[in-house]
């Protein structure tokens, strides 16, 4: 008997056996390594989900919901790997629906964190461009009014100059007939010359005021240009606000002096608003960022993919007694085939002959239930199951032991005959 036991333990040797052992070890290590990877991905996704969720509800509630969401994602992904929609459609679609809801929640709240990271620079540029646009539109309106005022005053000054010249030569239309064509600086000339001098002084004063305004505008534009490259952003921004207020004050003074309604100055954002971090809100979806969404979805996608491929639903290995029971009971089934998943599939229903003989299949159905609960079998539909990848090595080992035992017995009988 000991000789038979020694023969059972004999295994094939050689390069093929070595390669197979290495490959088996490598695949096993990948399966083991997949577990911490799934856990780390879940933690990463959970962090971003918690970050976005905590801006809307109490942090400890957000933490509990985050743990629940990530647990549902992993559990449903693992469960999907072990069920077929034909086996139990209601269960299958409930698992799929739970997974989709958990993914939607995880991706939605994770999106806020990735949006903040990816769009922080662009949001700063948008704020800077908004300030530039507001200031530019305001200054353009001022410069248009300034050009119109200068043009009007230039025309009035030219008209006053013509009136003075016509009054000097006595050809002004307002001169009476008796005083026409009299050349000289008479009362008409003095009257129109006084008007001309007043207009000239007004134009000079207006040009001086506009020159001061132009200087303030140049300082405002200079501080606006420095804002993007300044090392001390706070000091530069407050200088910008001071220059803008100076321009606004000058415009208001000119408005009262000219008696014209100048455009209202825009309300520039404060320094706190200018440097404020991105606060997660549902308004982020209006400025949708495809890059942030893809990053948020990518983490959960890899979590689902690795969890699904892991197919690690068995809570523990089979004992030696359970292996013997399973092997002997599975041998009692007769209908096997390779299905579309390239897995060995077997029919667990009684055959017509077994039904006619009232065959009791309790023991083999117990083995099927045991393997289904441990994850070594997967239900395809109501009458068929398929082998899970982790069942093949167990049966292969048992079959090898049986073959070795048969060979040993045959060799022992041959030896007895020869004696």
């Amino acid at each position: 008997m000991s000789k038979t036991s020694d023969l059972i333990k004999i295994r094939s040797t050689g390069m093929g056996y070595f390669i197979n052992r290495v490959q088996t070890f490598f695949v096993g290590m990948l399966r083991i390594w997949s577990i911490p990877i799934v856990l780390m991905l879940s933690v990463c996704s959970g962090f971003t989900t918690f970050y976005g969720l905590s801006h809307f509800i109490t942090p400890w509630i957000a933490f509990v919901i985050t743990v629940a969401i990530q647990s549902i994602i992993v559990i449903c992904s693992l469960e999907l790997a072990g069920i077929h929609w034909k086996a139990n459609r209601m269960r299958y679609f409930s698992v799929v629906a739970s997974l989709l809801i958990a993914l939607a929640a995880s991706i939605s709240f994770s999106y806020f964190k990735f949006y903040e990271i990816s769009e922080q620079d662009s949001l700063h540029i948008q704020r800077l461009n908004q300030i530039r646009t507001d200031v530019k539109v305001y200054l353009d309106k001022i410069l248009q009014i300034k050009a119109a005022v200068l043009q009007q005053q230039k025309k009035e000054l030219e008209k006053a100059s013509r009136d003075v010249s016509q009054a000097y030569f006595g050809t002004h239309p307002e001169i009476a007939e008796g005083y026409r064509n009299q050349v000289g600086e008479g009362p008409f000339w003095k009257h129109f010359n006084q008007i001309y001098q007043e207009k000239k002084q007004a134009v000079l004063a207006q040009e001086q005021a506009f020159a001061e305004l132009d200087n303030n505008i140049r300082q405002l534009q200079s501080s606006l240009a420095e804002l993007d490259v300044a090392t001390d952003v706070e000091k530069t921004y407050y200088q910008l606000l001071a220059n803008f207020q100076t321009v606004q004050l000058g415009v208001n003074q000119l408005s009262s002096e000219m008696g014209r309604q100048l455009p209202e100055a825009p309300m520039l954002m404060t320094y706190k608003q200018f440097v404020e971090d991105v606060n997660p809100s549902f308004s982020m979806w209006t400025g949708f960022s495809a890059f942030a969404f893809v990053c948020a979805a990518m983490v959960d996608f890899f979590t689902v993919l690795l969890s699904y491929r892991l197919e690690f639903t068995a809570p523990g290995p089979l004992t030696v007694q359970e292996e013997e029971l399973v092997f002997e009971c599975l041998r009692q089934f007769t209908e096997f085939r390779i299905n579309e998943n390239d897995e060995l599939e077997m029919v667990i229903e009684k055959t017509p002959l077994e039904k006619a003989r009232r065959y009791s299949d309790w023991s083999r159905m117990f083995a099927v239930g045991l393997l289904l609960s441990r994850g070594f079998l997967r239900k395809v539909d109501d009458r068929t199951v398929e082998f899970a990848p982790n069942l093949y090595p167990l049966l292969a080992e048992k079959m090898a032991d049986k073959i070795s035992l048969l060979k040993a017995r045959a060799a022992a009988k041959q030896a007895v005959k020869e004696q």
Side-chain angles (χ1 to χ4, degrees), residues 201-300:
Q201 290 297 325
V203 169
L204 291 176
Q206 192 69 66
E207 289 179 348
Q208 184 177 359
F210 280 147
E212 184 177 355
L213 178 62
D214 290 341
N215 183 47
N216 294 334
I217 290 176
R218 282 193 296 271
Q219 292 180 0
L220 173 61
Q221 292 174 335
S222 176
S223 59
L224 187 61
E226 292 177 0
L227 184 61
D228 193 26
V229 296
T231 54
D232 190 350
V233 179
E234 182 177 3
K235 179 180 178 181
T236 306
Y237 192 81
Y238 280 118
Q239 183 63 41
L240 169 67
L241 293 179
N243 292 336
F244 181 75
Q245 291 174 354
T246 302
V247 171
Q248 185 179 358
L249 179 62
V251 170
N252 292 336
Q253 291 176 350
L254 290 176
S255 176
S256 60
E257 292 174 1
M258 293 186 300
R260 299 186 60 167
Q261 185 66 29
L262 292 180
E264 295 184 1
M267 292 292 296
L268 298 184
M269 62 184 71
T270 62
Y271 174 74
K272 183 178 180 180
Q273 293 173 330
F274 181 71
V275 298
E276 185 180 14
D277 293 333
V278 183
N279 290 322
S281 65
F282 288 104
S283 61
M284 290 181 177
W285 291 104
T286 57
F288 179 74
S289 172
F291 177 77
F293 182 81
V294 169
C295 290
M298 181 175 60
V299 179
D300 289 308

Side-chain angles (χ1 to χ4, degrees), residues 37-53 61-78 98-99 101-111 114 296-304 307:
I37 292 178
V38 169
L39 294 177
M40 287 187 291
L41 286 173
S42 297
V43 170
C44 293
S45 179
F47 170 77
T48 54
T49 302
F50 171 77
Y51 178 84
L53 196 59
I61 298 179
F63 176 77
V64 173
I65 295 176
T66 300
V67 173
I69 289 174
Q70 296 305 316
S71 300
I72 291 173
I73 290 175
V74 175
I75 293 172
C76 290
S77 301
L78 290 173
S98 301
L99 179 61
I101 294 172
L103 286 175
S106 178
I107 293 173
S108 298
F109 291 106
S110 295
Y111 169 80
F114 287 103
M298 181 175 60
V299 179
D300 289 308
F301 170 77
F302 287 138
T303 303
V304 172
S307 300

